[in-house]
Amino acid sequence: MKKDIILAGVGGQGILTIATILGDAVIKEDLNLKQAEVHGMSQRGGAVQSHVRISDEKIHSDLIHHSTADIILSLEPMESLRYLPYLKEDGWLITNTQSFVNIPNYPQEAELLEEISKIKNSLAFDAVKIAKELGSIKATNIVMLGTTSKFIGLPYKTLKESIKSVFATKGDKIVKLNLNALEAGKKQMK
Amino acid sequence: MDKLLLLGDEAVGQGALDAGLSGAFGYPGTPSTEIIEYIQENEDAMKRKIHFSWSANEKTSMEEAMGLSYAGKRALVTMKHVGLNVAADAYVNSAITGANGGIIVAVADDPSMHSSQNEQDSRFYGNFAQLPVMEPCDQQEAYDMPREAFALSEKYKVPVMLRLTTRLAHSRAGIIRKEVIPENEMHRPDDPNQFMLLPAFARENYKDLLEKQSQFIAESEESKYNVFHNGDDKGMGIIACGLGYNYLMENVQGSDLDYPILKIGQYPLPRKQIEKITSECDSVLVIEEGMPLLEEKLRGYLDNCLNVKGRLDGTLPRYGELNPQIVASALGLSPKPVKDIPKTVKGRPPELCKGCPHRDTFVTLNKAMEKYGKGHVFSDIGCYTLGFLPPFNAINSCVCMGASVSMAVGAAEAGFYPSVAVIGDSTFGHSGMTGLLDAVNKESNVVIMILDNNTVAMTGMQDSAVEGSIEKICAGLGVEKEHIRVFKPLKPKHDENVKIIEEELEYSGVSVIIPRRECIHLRRKRKK
């Protein structure tokens, strides 16, 4: 088993929380993980990404090789396209569609959706709306994780356990919100 | 033993803690910051009363570590690559004094300049100071190496550098912990004059250091971090250092490549293994994450002995960090078809956060500077460097920590008016204070703006060394009290704040203006 996943978004959107949950799940499953992330200047509202590599064999590189990623999981539509060189031919691009506009030349939404639809395996939907209905837009990242859960090579049950451990310090209400977000996200992937 | 999931930086912190560490010293700087942050949050470190608070700058960190070492304890110093320039006086001379308790100098380099102003390679400093360097290729080595580095440091009584690069520092993987080594008992150096570098002693110590060089090489030849893998295809041998080894193995795994490979993780370079690979192979590919240190040595000035490939002949790019694609291409592997980034995707540079006090400060400063035109504001290293970008376009320089103040002084001495410096509170404490002393002594006509957000914000909200004492420091350095002005950068106060800057611009002498409002992230962090 080997899964290479690119997490994409804008600084502050919560991709590192997704990475933390995946890391926790990998330890629970006794698999190998390498997860490279971005700290420092880019975290201030810039484009951020994390390379997550999960395998039952030794993983050498901290970075994913071009054209080999199984999944791009993005919290922002334009950011989902920035990492296309990493996606393998039949890899999945899964993205939230609500834009994070903090640059003057941000493209038209229709252009972005058209580019996303050109990818053989892609799914784009408004995850912010789903998270909002569940109680907080902060759970958008976990909705997206739920949508991707089928492809990441980790048992769904373990992901749920990891959400419980990672959010434990924030109280039962937050744990429940995120478990609901995971479930709602999962339903998006038919 | 426990399995932990750690960043490369955190693995160094845990590794040092488990290897008898008594004190960690450093100044925050990407990508090195998380080493000390990890130690600060570690329960064992608290129980053991390990020293772990931040220092004013990298030089004081290095010197404090040398003091702890003098007392016989094991010390860790952390910094980013450009921080080693600041600490260089202490680091290079520490090779001559040597160590008593073990010293590890952990330096994190930032090839490709993700969060830095250059991509200098700290291994060159190790080479220059003639000290051993260790370079982990993965998180487990980052955890393990402090153990051997301390042992090596105490065996030869010299500091040992641990060189990291961004992708290891900020990448997480599982590590297996080893048994915890107890801390050293306090003991002074056997030779009471060891740290006395009066010329007569320094000459003896230096001879001693030169004599140790062959022993350092012998250590490298025996090191478990320098590994020779045999291969049948002698058409090419590959020498790979640090992370370069990972990118190599990523490509070798599952392929039919069968070249001899020498993995390097400890310096000075292991002569025996290098002789073996260069003599048995027709050519040698050198893969280094950073500048071509090993490659330059192999080629020599005339470059007429060996068939070497690497960064200097274009087999690998001359600059920037490596990745699996670049190394694949150097190995001659044909690339898979790659999807392009659609043209509709635009760059998204970092920016000052919404609600950041610097935003208001720059709007205010721009208004006050309007009548003088552009090009008068020297700045520095920190979040406020983003004030260069639109919509602010408020600053004109960013060189090294503290340079804003000293450059403003120099420009003012040329008659340049107005000459303004913009520096953050922590950067001022790091190395802006000395420039301000110059300004006072030279009676320079400058306005020094110290943007006080009460934290080291860019690296993730570490404590600022000058918290609560900026006015006292400025007054103590000789700035007149009536020209030390404080304002709160907020929209409703815009007009009165503009007036304060205008008044000080019109004053002929040294003015300090302190826009003071807490970083919005600090408020959130403290709420937690």
Side-chain angles (χ1 to χ4, degrees), chain B residues 412-432:
Chain B
E413 294 311 312
F416 189 68
Y417 172 81
S419 189
V420 179
V422 167
I423 186 169
D425 51 332
S426 182
T427 310
F428 176 68
H430 178 286
S431 46

Side-chain angles (χ1 to χ4, degrees), chain B residues 31-245:
Chain B
S32 71
T33 315
E34 293 80 1
I35 303 174
I36 285 195
E37 281 195 323
Y38 180 82
I39 295 172
Q40 288 174 339
E41 284 160 21
N42 186 281
E43 278 180 30
D44 288 337
M46 275 177 234
K47 269 189 223 147
R48 274 161 54 183
K49 297 198 168 61
I50 305 268
H51 171 89
F52 52 52
S53 63
W54 294 107
S55 303
N57 67 35
E58 294 84 355
K59 180 172 183 285
T60 62
S61 312
M62 181 69 212
E63 291 155 351
E64 285 152 7
M66 288 167 73
L68 194 108
S69 162
Y70 181 94
K73 301 274 191 172
R74 291 187 162 183
L76 171 69
V77 200
T78 78
M79 62 196 74
K80 69 182 293 173
H81 57 338
V82 286
L84 186 51
N85 297 333
V86 178
D89 198 0
Y91 172 70
V92 174
N93 284 309
S94 77
I96 319 292
T97 63
N100 181 31
I103 302 179
I104 295 175
V105 184
V107 191
D109 294 355
D110 190 18
S112 280
M113 308 180 218
H114 297 281
S115 256
S116 306
Q117 65 272 46
N118 78 29
E119 61 171 24
Q120 66 186 57
D121 184 331
S122 298
R123 296 177 304 161
F124 282 80
Y125 264 112
N127 187 53
F128 176 51
Q130 303 176 75
L131 289 175
V133 176
M134 288 185 163
E135 186 182 20
C137 78
D138 61 22
Q139 291 76 357
Q140 186 66 51
E141 286 192 350
Y143 171 81
D144 291 339
M145 278 183 175
R147 197 162 286 257
E148 280 99 25
F150 275 138
L152 192 67
S153 174
E154 288 176 1
K155 182 173 177 188
Y156 293 97
K157 299 208 167 297
V158 289
V160 173
M161 182 190 288
L162 191 63
R163 186 234 185 191
L164 302 159
T165 45
T166 304
R167 294 300 178 182
L168 176 59
H170 289 166
S171 174
R172 222 176 287 276
I175 63 108
I176 311 283
R177 275 182 77 183
K178 298 197 162 119
E179 80 284 3
V180 178
I181 299 171
E183 291 177 44
N184 287 355
E185 293 297 327
M186 188 120 67
H187 64 279
R188 271 178 288 178
D190 296 336
D191 170 8
N193 299 328
Q194 185 190 333
F195 285 80
M196 172 49 68
L197 294 189
L198 274 171
F201 296 108
R203 284 181 207 116
E204 290 307 310
N205 285 10
Y206 186 54
K207 262 191 257 168
D208 203 37
L209 176 69
L210 294 176
E211 277 162 20
K212 283 175 188 164
Q213 296 305 310
S214 55
Q215 294 167 291
F216 294 162
I217 292 173
E219 290 283 348
S220 289
E221 287 170 347
E222 297 305 314
S223 168
K224 64 176 176 185
Y225 300 114
N226 294 331
V227 186
F228 199 102
H229 303 279
N230 287 312
D232 285 338
D233 186 348
K234 313 282 192 215
M236 185 165 79
I238 304 172
I239 307 179
C241 308
L243 281 190
Y245 177 73

Side-chain angles (χ1 to χ4, degrees), chain A residues 28 59 61 72 119 134 137:
Chain A
K28 286 189 165 94
I59 306 167
S61 171
I72 293 174
I119 307 301
L134 292 170
I137 57 166

Side-chain angles (χ1 to χ4, degrees), chain A residues 10 23 27 30-31 33-37 39-42 44-47 53 58 60-68 76 78-79 81-82 84-85 87-89 100 102-103 105-107 111-112 115, chain B residues 3 5 7 30 34 115 138-139 167 170-174 243 246-247 249-251 253 322-325 328 336-342 344-351 353 383 386 457-458 461 521:
Chain A
V10 181
I27 289 278
D30 203 22
L31 292 166
L33 171 94
K34 277 207 172 173
Q35 181 239 320
E37 55 196 44
H39 292 205
M41 200 172 235
S42 321
R44 302 278 168 266
R53 313 194 65 197
K58 183 169 172 65
H60 288 286
S61 171
D62 299 83
L63 297 177
I64 295 171
H65 201 304
H66 274 173
S67 304
T68 61
E76 211 276 349
M78 183 173 80
E79 295 310 319
L81 296 166
R82 194 183 301 284
L84 277 188
L87 194 63
K88 69 179 183 190
E89 184 50 36
F100 188 102
N102 62 346
I103 49 170
N105 55 343
Y106 193 91
E111 282 177 44
L112 293 173
E115 289 294 344
Chain B
K3 185 170 182 181
L5 194 58
L7 293 176
T30 311
E34 293 80 1
S115 256
D138 61 22
Q139 291 76 357
R167 294 300 178 182
H170 289 166
S171 174
R172 222 176 287 276
L243 281 190
N246 293 357
Y247 300 135
M249 296 314 287
E250 182 73 20
N251 282 292
Q253 195 176 36
L322 300 170
N323 61 41
Q325 298 80 259
K336 292 178 195 158
V338 173
K339 293 185 177 66
D340 293 325
I341 303 171
T344 183
V345 174
K346 304 295 187 298
R348 195 192 302 259
E351 59 172 3
C353 306
C383 282
L386 297 172
M458 181 64 89
M461 273 51 74
H521 298 291

